Amino acid sequence: MAGHTASVTALRIGMLGAAPVVASASLDGTVRLWDLRSGLAHGDVRSGYSMGATALDFAVIGGRAHLVTGAGTAAST
């Protein structure tokens, strides 16, 4: 996706108010929101994941939509 500077690791479709959006996570350490109608990015909604952003999902909590993100690696035993 234009705007990320490394591989995209996760995509999720959701709603931002009444607007359909796609959230993308990338190894460049950012999470972005994209407007499905225009194709334009809303910009970085989260940045600074030093090992890359690797997971995201939309959740409705208390009637409000939230974007949950994650990064890093799992510890091995």
Side-chain angles (χ1 to χ4, degrees):
M1 301 181 85
H4 285 296
T5 59
S7 297
V8 172
T9 57
L11 295 170
R12 293 291 182 271
I13 296 174
M15 299 296 286
L16 183 63
V21 296
V22 171
S24 59
S26 171
L27 291 179
D28 66 8
T30 65
V31 173
R32 291 176 174 252
L33 278 178
W34 306 83
D35 185 315
L36 279 177
R37 292 179 183 149
S38 70
L40 298 175
H42 287 282
D44 293 349
V45 294
R46 176 72 167 94
S47 61
Y49 286 122
S50 62
M51 297 188 69
T54 56
L56 51 79
D57 209 345
F58 287 94
V60 177
I61 302 168
R64 294 185 58 199
H66 297 270
L67 178 62
V68 181
T69 65
T73 59
S76 60
T77 56

